[in-house]
Amino acid sequence: MGFKGILKEIVAESGGLGGVIMGYDGIAIDEYLRDGAGVDVQTMTIEYASVLKEVKRTVGVLKTGDLEEVSIITEKCCVIVRGISDDFFAALVLPSDGNFGKARFLLKRAAPGFRESLQ
């Protein structure tokens, strides 16, 4: 199953709005957006990519290990980001009432498969 299929499963199981595999440069490799998401998932993840690039750089400067996960929670949605390589991350966007714990688990479980497929 390709990236889009895995993202679709994660979005469906978690009640998410969309998911994306993206480079820290903001270029998406693949994405799945649920119909009627009501949030511009693509623009959101592109904008967050620049912030994540800086967070990743800071983690490197502090020498605290590889970036594993970042969550950005706002009034209307939650974005869970899981680092999958030095150049790419997976992001899942949930509505504010989405199942945060399940989404984190599903994204963490899928990360090794994403990593392997990128090589």
Side-chain angles (χ1 to χ4, degrees):
M1 180 183 314
F3 291 134
K4 189 177 294 270
I6 297 168
L7 290 168
K8 183 177 181 179
E9 281 185 3
I10 293 171
V11 168
E13 284 188 55
S14 66
L17 303 173
V20 64
I21 305 293
M22 181 174 277
Y24 288 99
D25 58 1
I27 298 173
I29 301 299
D30 211 344
E31 64 185 10
Y32 171 76
L33 306 174
R34 192 176 80 193
D35 290 335
V39 175
D40 188 350
V41 173
Q42 190 174 30
T43 300
M44 184 183 302
T45 53
I46 290 169
E47 292 297 327
Y48 283 147
S50 63
V51 173
L52 292 167
K53 188 174 185 179
E54 189 62 24
V55 169
K56 188 176 181 309
R57 187 194 68 74
T58 302
V59 167
V61 168
L62 297 174
K63 296 181 174 128
T64 56
D66 291 335
L67 176 66
E68 290 189 16
E69 185 178 275
V70 174
S71 298
I72 302 166
I73 301 170
T74 67
E75 183 179 343
K76 295 183 181 180
C77 66
C78 172
V79 180
I80 303 168
V81 177
R82 165 95 18 204
I84 54 177
S85 76
D86 284 341
D87 299 316
F88 298 98
F89 63 87
L92 181 64
V93 180
L94 297 168
S96 59
D97 61 349
N99 191 334
F100 182 76
K102 186 170 188 176
R104 286 187 65 219
F105 168 75
L106 293 170
L107 206 53
K108 183 176 182 176
R109 185 178 70 181
F114 289 146
R115 193 174 300 115
E116 187 175 304
S117 295
L118 284 169
Q119 301 198 0

